[in-house]
């Protein structure tokens, strides 16, 4: 009986290890911090860093759009929060809008961010 239990435990451990390796290859993390973030997302415990989010909001209100985007990127590294992604998109739009010219590259990045925000929003609003 003990031999059978050891064999079953070995098979279970092998399957768990194999699924971990497949998950690592599928998500392609570049650092251990990304591994931790991806595992939080997978477990459903991912949360945005509220302090950095509000720092980004303060920078945004002072028209410091690049610095605000950097703060929001640090607050939401997995890009899984719809509110943070909305503000990232809005910062791209505001920086791309000029009194004399429009920067279409900024608008394109803003469009990508707003599409992310829409897909993440619970009611798709």
């Amino acid at each position: 009986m003990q031999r059978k239990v050891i064999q079953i435990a070995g098979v279970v451990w092998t399957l768990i290890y194999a699924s971990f390796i497949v998950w690592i290859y599928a998500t392609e993390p570049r650092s251990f911090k990304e591994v931790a973030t991806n595992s939080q997302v997978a477990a459903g415990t991912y949360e945005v860093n509220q302090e950095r989010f509000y720092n980004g909001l303060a920078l945004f209100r002072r028209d410091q759009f690049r610095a605000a985007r950097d703060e929001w990127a640090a607050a939401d590294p997995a890009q899984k929060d719809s509110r943070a992604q909305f503000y990232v998109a809005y910062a791209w739009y505001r920086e791309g809008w000029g009194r004399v010219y429009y920067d279409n590259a900024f608008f394109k990045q803003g469009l990508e961010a707003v599409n992310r925000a829409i897909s993440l929003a619970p009611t798709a609003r």
Side-chain angles (χ1 to χ4, degrees):
M1 183 68 182
Q2 185 178 4
R3 188 174 200 201
K4 192 74 163 171
V5 170
I6 291 173
Q7 287 176 345
I8 291 172
V11 168
V12 168
W13 178 252
T14 302
L15 291 174
I16 290 171
Y17 184 71
S19 64
F20 175 72
I21 296 298
V22 167
W23 179 72
I24 290 291
Y25 278 111
T27 58
E28 297 179 11
R30 295 185 188 112
S31 67
F32 286 116
K33 188 173 184 177
E34 281 188 35
V35 171
T37 301
N38 289 341
S39 61
Q40 286 177 342
V41 169
T45 60
Y46 178 75
E47 290 183 5
V48 174
N49 183 337
Q50 293 297 321
E51 181 181 345
R52 296 207 75 165
F53 178 81
Y54 289 122
N55 288 343
L57 196 56
L59 290 167
F60 178 80
R61 290 179 178 149
R62 290 188 301 232
D63 293 338
Q64 297 175 349
F65 304 119
R66 289 181 188 188
R69 281 194 310 270
D70 291 341
E71 283 294 313
W72 288 322
D76 185 22
Q79 297 180 342
K80 296 293 183 187
D81 183 61
S82 61
R83 187 175 62 157
Q85 293 307 306
F86 168 78
Y87 278 112
V88 167
Y90 194 30
W92 280 114
Y93 287 150
R94 289 285 307 269
E95 189 172 358
W97 175 76
R99 304 228 185 266
V100 180
Y101 69 94
Y102 297 108
D103 193 332
N104 288 331
F106 287 164
F107 283 139
K108 183 179 176 186
Q109 290 176 315
L111 185 60
E112 291 170 4
V114 81
N115 286 335
R116 261 194 320 270
I118 290 170
S119 69
L120 294 170
T123 59
R125 301 184 358 205

